[in-house]
mmCIF file of all heavy atoms in Angstrom:
data_model
loop_
_atom_site.group_PDB
_atom_site.id
_atom_site.type_symbol
_atom_site.label_atom_id
_atom_site.label_comp_id
_atom_site.label_asym_id
_atom_site.label_seq_id
_atom_site.Cartn_x
_atom_site.Cartn_y
_atom_site.Cartn_z
ATOM 1 N N ILE A 12 -31.608 -90.850 8.276
ATOM 2 C CA ILE A 12 -31.278 -92.262 8.449
ATOM 3 C C ILE A 12 -30.856 -92.582 9.869
ATOM 4 O O ILE A 12 -30.901 -93.730 10.286
ATOM 5 C CB ILE A 12 -30.173 -92.728 7.462
ATOM 6 C CG1 ILE A 12 -28.927 -91.852 7.576
ATOM 7 C CG2 ILE A 12 -30.682 -92.771 6.041
ATOM 8 C CD1 ILE A 12 -27.728 -92.492 6.918
ATOM 9 N N VAL A 22 -28.098 -103.021 7.006
ATOM 10 C CA VAL A 22 -27.636 -104.402 7.171
ATOM 11 C C VAL A 22 -28.094 -104.891 8.533
ATOM 12 O O VAL A 22 -28.419 -104.095 9.413
ATOM 13 C CB VAL A 22 -26.095 -104.541 7.105
ATOM 14 C CG1 VAL A 22 -25.586 -104.323 5.721
ATOM 15 C CG2 VAL A 22 -25.416 -103.653 8.111
ATOM 16 N N TRP A 30 -18.412 -107.781 10.019
ATOM 17 C CA TRP A 30 -17.490 -106.844 9.353
ATOM 18 C C TRP A 30 -16.531 -106.219 10.351
ATOM 19 O O TRP A 30 -15.335 -106.094 10.095
ATOM 20 C CB TRP A 30 -18.267 -105.754 8.613
ATOM 21 C CG TRP A 30 -18.546 -106.112 7.188
ATOM 22 C CD1 TRP A 30 -19.750 -106.443 6.651
ATOM 23 C CD2 TRP A 30 -17.591 -106.195 6.122
ATOM 24 N NE1 TRP A 30 -19.604 -106.732 5.320
ATOM 25 C CE2 TRP A 30 -18.294 -106.589 4.963
ATOM 26 C CE3 TRP A 30 -16.217 -105.984 6.026
ATOM 27 C CZ2 TRP A 30 -17.673 -106.760 3.731
ATOM 28 C CZ3 TRP A 30 -15.590 -106.163 4.803
ATOM 29 C CH2 TRP A 30 -16.320 -106.541 3.678
ATOM 30 N N TYR A 31 -17.063 -105.791 11.519
ATOM 31 C CA TYR A 31 -16.188 -105.139 12.493
ATOM 32 C C TYR A 31 -15.213 -106.136 13.106
ATOM 33 O O TYR A 31 -14.080 -105.784 13.416
ATOM 34 C CB TYR A 31 -17.023 -104.423 13.567
ATOM 35 C CG TYR A 31 -17.725 -103.202 13.006
ATOM 36 C CD1 TYR A 31 -18.874 -102.707 13.576
ATOM 37 C CD2 TYR A 31 -17.214 -102.559 11.881
ATOM 38 C CE1 TYR A 31 -19.507 -101.590 13.051
ATOM 39 C CE2 TYR A 31 -17.842 -101.458 11.345
ATOM 40 C CZ TYR A 31 -18.993 -100.976 11.931
ATOM 41 O OH TYR A 31 -19.616 -99.887 11.413
ATOM 42 N N SER A 37 -8.080 -108.058 11.006
ATOM 43 C CA SER A 37 -7.087 -107.642 10.017
ATOM 44 C C SER A 37 -5.959 -106.884 10.706
ATOM 45 O O SER A 37 -4.809 -106.952 10.283
ATOM 46 C CB SER A 37 -7.732 -106.801 8.924
ATOM 47 O OG SER A 37 -8.031 -105.528 9.415
ATOM 48 N N SER A 53 15.399 -104.797 9.713
ATOM 49 C CA SER A 53 16.480 -104.475 10.652
ATOM 50 C C SER A 53 17.643 -105.461 10.536
ATOM 51 O O SER A 53 18.625 -105.332 11.259
ATOM 52 C CB SER A 53 15.944 -104.455 12.082
ATOM 53 O OG SER A 53 15.662 -105.764 12.501
ATOM 54 N N ASN A 55 20.685 -107.483 8.327
ATOM 55 C CA ASN A 55 21.500 -107.344 7.117
ATOM 56 C C ASN A 55 21.295 -108.523 6.180
ATOM 57 O O ASN A 55 21.487 -108.417 4.980
ATOM 58 C CB ASN A 55 22.968 -107.254 7.492
ATOM 59 C CG ASN A 55 23.322 -105.865 7.972
ATOM 60 O OD1 ASN A 55 22.815 -104.887 7.427
ATOM 61 N ND2 ASN A 55 24.145 -105.775 8.984
ATOM 62 N N ASN A 73 14.513 -128.939 -8.015
ATOM 63 C CA ASN A 73 14.109 -127.591 -7.653
ATOM 64 C C ASN A 73 12.754 -127.219 -8.255
ATOM 65 O O ASN A 73 12.555 -127.372 -9.447
ATOM 66 C CB ASN A 73 15.171 -126.619 -8.175
ATOM 67 C CG ASN A 73 15.600 -125.681 -7.099
ATOM 68 O OD1 ASN A 73 15.206 -125.835 -5.941
ATOM 69 N ND2 ASN A 73 16.405 -124.698 -7.463
ATOM 70 N N VAL A 91 -14.415 -118.820 -4.599
ATOM 71 C CA VAL A 91 -15.454 -118.704 -5.628
ATOM 72 C C VAL A 91 -16.627 -119.608 -5.302
ATOM 73 O O VAL A 91 -17.790 -119.193 -5.387
ATOM 74 C CB VAL A 91 -14.888 -119.065 -7.015
ATOM 75 C CG1 VAL A 91 -15.962 -118.980 -8.065
ATOM 76 C CG2 VAL A 91 -13.777 -118.130 -7.363
ATOM 77 N N VAL A 94 -18.728 -117.936 -2.686
ATOM 78 C CA VAL A 94 -19.576 -116.820 -3.116
ATOM 79 C C VAL A 94 -20.744 -117.354 -3.957
ATOM 80 O O VAL A 94 -21.850 -116.813 -3.919
ATOM 81 C CB VAL A 94 -18.743 -115.729 -3.838
ATOM 82 C CG1 VAL A 94 -18.344 -116.101 -5.225
ATOM 83 C CG2 VAL A 94 -19.489 -114.416 -3.867
ATOM 84 N N HIS A 98 -24.727 -116.876 -3.229
ATOM 85 C CA HIS A 98 -25.632 -116.474 -4.303
ATOM 86 C C HIS A 98 -26.856 -117.397 -4.364
ATOM 87 O O HIS A 98 -27.993 -116.935 -4.481
ATOM 88 C CB HIS A 98 -24.861 -116.508 -5.625
ATOM 89 C CG HIS A 98 -25.668 -116.064 -6.793
ATOM 90 N ND1 HIS A 98 -26.065 -114.762 -6.970
ATOM 91 C CD2 HIS A 98 -26.187 -116.755 -7.831
ATOM 92 C CE1 HIS A 98 -26.775 -114.662 -8.060
ATOM 93 N NE2 HIS A 98 -26.867 -115.856 -8.607
ATOM 94 N N LYS A 102 -31.192 -116.939 -3.537
ATOM 95 C CA LYS A 102 -32.313 -117.420 -4.351
ATOM 96 C C LYS A 102 -33.144 -118.472 -3.617
ATOM 97 O O LYS A 102 -34.063 -119.047 -4.198
ATOM 98 C CB LYS A 102 -31.776 -118.026 -5.661
ATOM 99 C CG LYS A 102 -31.154 -117.001 -6.576
ATOM 100 C CD LYS A 102 -30.930 -117.548 -7.973
ATOM 101 C CE LYS A 102 -29.890 -118.640 -7.962
ATOM 102 N NZ LYS A 102 -29.615 -119.169 -9.316
ATOM 103 N N ASP B 13 -29.914 -112.558 -12.038
ATOM 104 C CA ASP B 13 -29.208 -113.731 -11.531
ATOM 105 C C ASP B 13 -28.016 -114.067 -12.408
ATOM 106 O O ASP B 13 -26.888 -114.224 -11.929
ATOM 107 C CB ASP B 13 -30.222 -114.889 -11.472
ATOM 108 C CG ASP B 13 -29.553 -116.215 -11.162
ATOM 109 O OD1 ASP B 13 -28.701 -116.214 -10.270
ATOM 110 O OD2 ASP B 13 -29.880 -117.211 -11.802
ATOM 111 N N ILE B 20 -19.297 -112.816 -10.722
ATOM 112 C CA ILE B 20 -18.488 -113.637 -9.817
ATOM 113 C C ILE B 20 -17.370 -114.339 -10.585
ATOM 114 O O ILE B 20 -16.207 -114.308 -10.190
ATOM 115 C CB ILE B 20 -19.382 -114.668 -9.099
ATOM 116 C CG1 ILE B 20 -20.319 -113.966 -8.112
ATOM 117 C CG2 ILE B 20 -18.528 -115.704 -8.372
ATOM 118 C CD1 ILE B 20 -21.424 -114.840 -7.584
ATOM 119 N N PHE B 24 -13.239 -114.114 -10.462
ATOM 120 C CA PHE B 24 -12.379 -115.279 -10.298
ATOM 121 C C PHE B 24 -11.259 -115.275 -11.328
ATOM 122 O O PHE B 24 -10.083 -115.459 -10.992
ATOM 123 C CB PHE B 24 -13.204 -116.560 -10.420
ATOM 124 C CG PHE B 24 -12.362 -117.799 -10.552
ATOM 125 C CD1 PHE B 24 -11.636 -118.273 -9.473
ATOM 126 C CD2 PHE B 24 -12.288 -118.482 -11.758
ATOM 127 C CE1 PHE B 24 -10.859 -119.405 -9.591
ATOM 128 C CE2 PHE B 24 -11.508 -119.618 -11.887
ATOM 129 C CZ PHE B 24 -10.788 -120.076 -10.806
ATOM 130 N N TYR B 42 13.635 -114.838 -9.251
ATOM 131 C CA TYR B 42 14.450 -116.032 -8.971
ATOM 132 C C TYR B 42 15.546 -116.212 -10.007
ATOM 133 O O TYR B 42 16.705 -116.457 -9.674
ATOM 134 C CB TYR B 42 13.522 -117.254 -8.922
ATOM 135 C CG TYR B 42 14.234 -118.580 -8.846
ATOM 136 C CD1 TYR B 42 14.912 -118.951 -7.681
ATOM 137 C CD2 TYR B 42 14.222 -119.464 -9.915
ATOM 138 C CE1 TYR B 42 15.562 -120.164 -7.591
ATOM 139 C CE2 TYR B 42 14.865 -120.688 -9.842
ATOM 140 C CZ TYR B 42 15.540 -121.031 -8.678
ATOM 141 O OH TYR B 42 16.179 -122.229 -8.607
ATOM 142 N N GLU B 82 -22.677 -102.267 -0.471
ATOM 143 C CA GLU B 82 -23.271 -101.768 0.770
ATOM 144 C C GLU B 82 -23.460 -100.258 0.705
ATOM 145 O O GLU B 82 -23.005 -99.595 -0.219
ATOM 146 C CB GLU B 82 -22.369 -102.131 1.959
ATOM 147 C CG GLU B 82 -22.129 -103.611 2.143
ATOM 148 C CD GLU B 82 -23.342 -104.366 2.651
ATOM 149 O OE1 GLU B 82 -24.372 -103.733 2.956
ATOM 150 O OE2 GLU B 82 -23.262 -105.617 2.739
ATOM 151 N N ASN B 85 -22.053 -95.114 3.861
ATOM 152 C CA ASN B 85 -21.683 -94.897 5.264
ATOM 153 C C ASN B 85 -20.981 -96.104 5.848
ATOM 154 O O ASN B 85 -20.016 -95.991 6.594
ATOM 155 C CB ASN B 85 -22.952 -94.639 6.092
ATOM 156 C CG ASN B 85 -23.388 -93.211 5.990
ATOM 157 O OD1 ASN B 85 -22.589 -92.357 5.642
ATOM 158 N ND2 ASN B 85 -24.652 -92.953 6.275
ATOM 159 N N MET B 86 -21.470 -97.294 5.515
ATOM 160 C CA MET B 86 -20.893 -98.509 6.071
ATOM 161 C C MET B 86 -19.506 -98.753 5.491
ATOM 162 O O MET B 86 -18.587 -99.125 6.217
ATOM 163 C CB MET B 86 -21.808 -99.694 5.780
ATOM 164 C CG MET B 86 -21.327 -100.941 6.452
ATOM 165 S SD MET B 86 -22.404 -102.308 6.100
ATOM 166 C CE MET B 86 -21.237 -103.637 6.242
ATOM 167 N N SER B 89 -17.200 -96.630 7.387
ATOM 168 C CA SER B 89 -16.932 -97.036 8.771
ATOM 169 C C SER B 89 -15.933 -98.185 8.822
ATOM 170 O O SER B 89 -15.332 -98.450 9.853
ATOM 171 C CB SER B 89 -18.227 -97.407 9.500
ATOM 172 O OG SER B 89 -18.639 -98.697 9.143
ATOM 173 N N GLY B 108 12.513 -100.217 11.490
ATOM 174 C CA GLY B 108 13.369 -101.377 11.244
ATOM 175 C C GLY B 108 14.626 -100.978 10.498
ATOM 176 O O GLY B 108 15.733 -101.414 10.833
ATOM 177 N N ARG B 115 22.810 -100.631 13.875
ATOM 178 C CA ARG B 115 23.608 -101.834 14.104
ATOM 179 C C ARG B 115 24.877 -101.828 13.266
ATOM 180 O O ARG B 115 25.894 -102.380 13.682
ATOM 181 C CB ARG B 115 22.797 -103.067 13.704
ATOM 182 C CG ARG B 115 21.935 -103.592 14.796
ATOM 183 C CD ARG B 115 21.269 -104.870 14.334
ATOM 184 N NE ARG B 115 20.356 -105.336 15.360
ATOM 185 C CZ ARG B 115 19.302 -106.077 15.117
ATOM 186 N NH1 ARG B 115 19.018 -106.442 13.889
ATOM 187 N NH2 ARG B 115 18.526 -106.473 16.092
ATOM 188 N N ASN B 116 24.796 -101.223 12.098
ATOM 189 C CA ASN B 116 25.940 -101.258 11.200
ATOM 190 C C ASN B 116 26.972 -100.183 11.499
ATOM 191 O O ASN B 116 27.970 -100.086 10.798
ATOM 192 C CB ASN B 116 25.473 -101.134 9.746
ATOM 193 C CG ASN B 116 24.749 -102.391 9.308
ATOM 194 O OD1 ASN B 116 24.875 -103.428 9.950
ATOM 195 N ND2 ASN B 116 24.000 -102.296 8.230
#
Side-chain angles (χ1 to χ4, degrees):
Chain A
I12 55 165
V22 289
W30 268 109
Y31 290 155
S37 74
S53 72
N55 281 322
N73 230 7
V91 179
V94 75
H98 182 69
K102 293 193 294 182
Chain B
D13 171 44
I20 291 168
F24 168 71
Y42 171 70
E82 301 288 355
N85 278 340
M86 186 180 152
S89 79
R115 273 185 184 154
N116 290 343

